[in-house]
Amino acid sequence: MTPPPTLSPAAPTTAPDLVAGFPFPFPNPTYRYTTNVEPARGVVTTPAGQWGAAVVDVDSAYGEELAERAAILERDPSRHAVLPHMDVACWDAMLCLMRELALARPDAFTLEVLDDLEGGSRAAYRWRNDLLGIDHTFVLGDASTLPDEPLRWITAQVQEDVVLLDERDGVLWGDAGVVTFAADWSFGFDVGMSFLEIHGPVPRIHSEGVITRAHEFIKRLQPNETYRRTNWTLTVHRRLDVSTETYPAWGPDRPMVLTVDDETFGRLVHLRTEVQHLVRLPESGAVMFLIRSYLLPFDELARVEEWRERAAAVIAELPEDMADYKGIATYRDRAAAWLRAQAPTP
Amino acid sequence: MNARIELVVAAVDDAVPGIRSLTLAAPDGGRLPSFTPGSHLVLDVPAGEGRPRRAANAYSLTGESIDPRHYAISVLRCAPVAEGGTAGGGSAWVHELVIGDRVTATPPRSAFAPVHLATRHLLVGAGIGITPLLSHLRSHVRWGREAELVYLFRDGHGAHVDELKELGGDRVTFLADRAGLAEDLVVRLADQPLGTHLYTCGPAGFMDAVVDLATELGWPSSRVHLEPFGVAALDPGDPFTVGVAGEVLEVPSGTSLLEALEDAGHVVPNLCRQGVCGECRVDVAPGSSPLLHRDLFLDEETRGAGDCLMACVSRAVPAADGRAHLEVTL
Ligand code: FES
């Protein structure tokens, strides 16, 4: 396994598929919080390529990101938590992620139902993941037939972070998950909290009703319904794990990046897009929240003229409280200026 | 407005008087989407044969919920208006279906799911109200949860009796009269460990009696669940007309204003198509009929102004003159 590349000062050139598939997060010339949910699987074409067809996306960073997740879980097991009543939801999430992988990449993943489950019995399934050389048969609900807890086992095979929300008394609770690539939050801290509590610190969204509306919307999701939204921030270095727990490791990068020369700035600062999917899991009725983080360095972003221009405008205009919450207040002016300075000379 | 799936009648079972059990399959014979225990299908009932308009009837799914090969429902025949009854004719229509008939329905919808934090599940059903509870029991048995079921039915008129026996064994109690039920429940409800949740489905009077007894015995309402039958799907709504750019369009029942505008070649920004994102807001001119807001986006104040609506879910309702018409600007 290759070591995580996040700390290497000379980041390697971004693989072409990561540029072509980058979900550029700014459809509009300014950015505000909205309940920007839409049905999943819609393909979005961009000046560099396209994204959005798959709910679970596999790209050329697969091996590298999975290795990084494994290393993080090894160091900090609190990134994986399952409250006892979420056991069925974890099996449910595992089956759903397997199906989505098989849909996205039928050449590499297959899930086969081996027998019928009539009368409350349990079916056997055969799962093949050719990318990792896995060919495994298991019985639904029988933990002894899996090498690991179902949620941890399947999140070792997808690049997405996963949170499972239980719904009771009209409220959604974040009661299980594997989150190793959090952007400025902590799953270990949030587990067991309600959806509304988790979003407590976000400025503006309460007065603008965005979160209560999202909460109502999620509760109305019917079995198997799948929606998505995007979110974004900036990250210094290609660093996936910028969670609250590891703040001492990456916090100093924010002032540091103001001191580097322009060429280094363009290489270090990344636009980070989160593509988030919401799926109502059928058997448990839990809601699966998937967060996939994509990082594109500014020097690559600036090569796509439409992206450069739009990102410069959005970052320059962003209100101060929102920039503050995103943790980019110290360097967003330089980020906008840097992008503007790359404008092609007429 | 709500997506539909097509299903084929694969088997009918009329063994229990007045009740028909229907087995539905995908037209290609493949597996159907999994669903949450307690879910229902909303079947489209066509107009005709004494039914003045098409209807949508909800029926609980009784069969296997994970990777099912079939969807199974059981339907009690209620006498329609034409026979002197009060029903809309949907259940009578189900009783006329034959093997090979095609029907359309929503994918399974969930509004009566088991609570996972419960330490024990007590299921109390009467008559045809047994159907969602059968699906609950199957799931509890599969996952090894503590559960018991009480089923009240008239002798000779009990659906799914053998299936329940086989599935639940001594966790299932059959009762034949209301007096016996009251006696049984007084003891059973008083005797449950803390953390037990109660689920009930059946005729309204029966559910009221169960809930009243539970309340008397100190059960908090958060641990008592009733099947809210058939309210989960947005109903198709009444037809209306819309004037846009000098043209008048029909918006039939089951078609949203957004769909009607799109069909006529208009471009309306939209995202969620569920009334939450706020993208598809359309301005309404004075002189339009009253608005039926069904979105989660607009606040009370904006609604009060009556000058806009969310085209993906909201509709017009007839004014005093009986006309339902909107004038919109895009
Ligand atoms: S499309 Fe989102 S509110 Fe209508």
Side-chain angles (χ1 to χ4, degrees):
Chain A
M1 299 267 191
T2 43
T6 52
L7 291 178
S8 76
T13 335
T14 310
D17 75 306
L18 302 187
V19 180
F22 185 72
F24 186 73
F26 302 133
N28 303 311
T30 57
Y31 178 82
R32 292 295 181 274
Y33 293 114
T34 56
T35 313
N36 58 336
V37 287
E38 60 183 335
R41 305 178 210 281
V43 175
V44 181
T45 46
T46 70
Q50 62 175 52
W51 65 277
V55 171
V56 178
D57 185 24
V58 175
D59 60 31
S60 62
Y62 187 71
E64 176 191 301
E65 293 188 6
L66 296 185
E68 184 165 0
R69 168 165 295 145
I72 292 167
L73 281 168
E74 176 84 38
R75 273 200 307 275
D76 180 3
S78 77
R79 308 297 187 91
H80 164 238
V82 176
L83 298 187
H85 64 281
M86 296 302 278
D87 57 340
V88 178
C90 289
W91 284 97
D92 222 356
M94 185 185 83
L95 281 186
C96 177
L97 289 169
M98 287 174 170
R99 271 200 192 101
E100 292 297 345
L101 282 168
L103 267 180
R105 287 283 304 275
D107 60 311
F109 306 95
T110 46
L111 180 68
E112 211 185 318
V113 192
L114 296 181
D115 32 72
D116 270 312
L117 5 69
E118 295 300 338
S121 64
R122 293 165 166 186
Y125 293 80
R126 180 178 177 193
W127 167 242
R128 290 182 51 181
N129 175 340
D130 293 343
L131 300 186
L132 298 180
I134 294 173
D135 183 347
H136 192 87
T137 298
F138 60 90
V139 176
L140 186 72
D142 182 349
S144 71
T145 61
L146 284 189
D148 200 349
E149 185 276 317
L151 189 63
R152 193 162 58 183
W153 191 52
I154 196 61
T155 49
Q157 303 179 52
V158 298
Q159 290 164 267
E160 281 71 15
D161 278 333
V162 180
V163 176
L164 301 180
L165 302 159
D166 187 34
E167 182 177 337
R168 51 181 193 276
D169 297 336
V171 177
L172 295 158
W173 305 87
D175 285 349
V178 171
V179 180
T180 52
F181 305 146
D184 221 350
W185 62 290
S186 160
F187 175 66
F189 179 71
D190 285 356
V191 69
M193 296 207 316
S194 76
F195 181 83
L196 300 171
E197 289 164 345
I198 291 171
H199 291 86
V202 188
R204 289 168 188 260
I205 58 167
H206 292 286
S207 58
E208 289 168 16
V210 171
I211 285 299
T212 40
R213 212 149 50 220
H215 191 247
E216 286 311 303
F217 172 72
I218 298 169
K219 285 196 297 173
R220 296 210 317 204
L221 285 180
Q222 291 300 329
N224 310 303
E225 280 187 339
T226 307
Y227 280 77
R228 74 170 179 223
R229 67 180 292 267
T230 59
N231 196 2
W232 70 277
T233 188
L234 303 179
T235 300
V236 182
H237 289 295
R238 189 185 149 70
R239 184 193 280 275
L240 284 166
D241 178 17
V242 282
S243 54
T244 323
E245 299 86 320
T246 54
Y247 182 81
W250 54 264
D253 287 347
R254 290 169 172 175
M256 176 279 289
V257 82
L258 290 174
T259 66
V260 300
D261 62 32
D262 275 346
E263 191 260 316
T264 314
F265 189 91
R267 199 157 38 76
L268 288 187
V269 176
H270 290 66
L271 178 58
R272 179 188 191 109
T273 306
E274 288 183 1
V275 176
Q276 307 172 347
H277 280 93
L278 289 158
V279 188
R280 177 71 81 168
L281 297 174
E283 177 68 7
S284 62
V287 173
M288 179 165 70
F289 185 51
L290 300 175
I291 309 157
R292 175 66 184 278
S293 302
Y294 298 86
L295 290 161
L296 189 66
F298 266 27
D299 56 7
E300 297 275 358
L301 180 86
R303 283 188 206 149
V304 181
E305 177 52 17
E306 276 174 51
W307 286 358
R308 182 201 64 76
E309 203 186 334
R310 176 57 62 86
V314 169
I315 294 168
E317 192 277 342
L318 193 70
E320 197 60 18
D321 58 336
M322 293 173 72
D324 217 25
Y325 176 71
K326 287 185 181 292
I328 61 173
T330 48
Y331 63 101
R332 64 88 167 251
D333 285 346
R334 179 161 183 205
W338 187 96
L339 287 166
R340 287 206 165 124
Q342 309 301 307
T345 34
Chain B
M1 193 171 305
N2 291 296
R4 291 294 196 273
I5 52 174
E6 193 173 48
L7 297 165
V8 183
V9 177
V12 293
D13 177 353
D14 294 325
V16 180
I19 293 173
R20 163 168 284 195
S21 293
L22 210 57
T23 303
L24 302 165
D28 67 0
R31 290 179 191 276
L32 290 159
S34 304
F35 59 88
T36 309
S39 291
H40 59 269
L41 282 183
V42 183
L43 275 191
D44 290 321
V45 180
E49 297 164 44
R51 295 178 301 273
R53 54 172 64 222
R54 68 187 196 135
N57 282 21
Y59 299 110
S60 293
L61 290 155
T62 62
E64 175 54 52
S65 61
I66 301 182
D67 288 323
R69 289 208 176 271
H70 300 110
Y71 287 154
I73 57 174
S74 289
V75 178
L76 175 71
R77 189 177 192 283
C78 304
V81 180
E83 294 172 20
T86 54
S91 68
W93 169 78
V94 169
H95 278 248
E96 299 295 309
L97 290 170
V98 296
I99 292 175
D101 278 353
R102 300 222 163 190
V103 299
T104 58
T106 61
R109 302 180 62 88
S110 171
F112 188 55
V115 174
H116 290 274
L117 206 58
T119 52
R120 188 178 175 80
H121 304 266
L122 173 57
L123 314 171
V124 181
I128 198 65
I130 193 62
T131 49
L133 301 177
L134 168 56
S135 152
H136 277 217
L137 184 67
R138 178 175 285 108
S139 164
H140 295 327
V141 169
R142 164 177 297 137
W143 297 102
R145 301 187 202 109
E146 285 200 43
E148 60 191 83
L149 182 143
V150 182
Y151 180 13
L152 173 74
F153 57 90
R154 270 195 304 138
D155 200 26
H157 289 75
H160 300 290
V161 169
D162 293 339
E163 201 175 348
L164 286 163
K165 253 190 229 161
E166 199 181 313
L167 192 59
D170 58 9
R171 280 174 281 206
V172 178
T173 305
F174 298 114
L175 295 168
D177 63 85
R178 285 289 270 271
L181 177 80
E183 243 170 70
D184 178 284
L185 281 187
V186 167
V187 180
R188 209 180 280 272
L189 287 174
D191 208 29
Q192 294 297 325
L194 200 71
T196 305
H197 281 238
L198 169 67
Y199 306 79
T200 183
C201 184
F206 162 84
M207 288 199 289
D208 288 347
V210 173
V211 172
D212 287 349
L213 186 57
T215 311
E216 240 169 74
L217 292 168
W219 285 65
S221 59
S222 59
R223 289 202 282 127
V224 179
H225 310 277
L226 285 83
E227 164 63 306
F229 227 49
V231 296
L234 265 190
D235 73 66
D238 291 323
F240 61 99
T241 54
V242 55
V244 55
E247 202 191 342
V248 175
L249 309 173
E250 307 279 339
V251 186
S253 170
T255 300
S256 69
L257 172 58
L258 177 61
E259 290 163 342
L261 291 169
E262 286 175 340
D263 289 349
H266 298 286
V267 176
V268 184
N270 70 87
L271 258 184
C272 69
R273 304 176 83 93
Q274 296 260 348
V276 287
C277 73
E279 286 290 317
C280 68
R281 178 171 163 156
V282 163
D283 289 330
V284 174
S288 294
S289 307
L291 304 177
L292 174 65
H293 293 288
R294 308 201 289 185
D295 62 281
L296 295 165
F297 182 80
L298 297 173
D299 56 29
E300 282 314 314
E301 202 178 313
T302 316
R303 288 182 185 202
D307 57 4
C308 67
L309 85 174
M310 306 315 296
C312 62
V313 289
S314 298
R315 312 181 68 84
V317 287
D321 62 2
R323 201 173 82 111
H325 177 80
L326 298 182
E327 272 307 314
V328 308
T329 46
L330 297 178

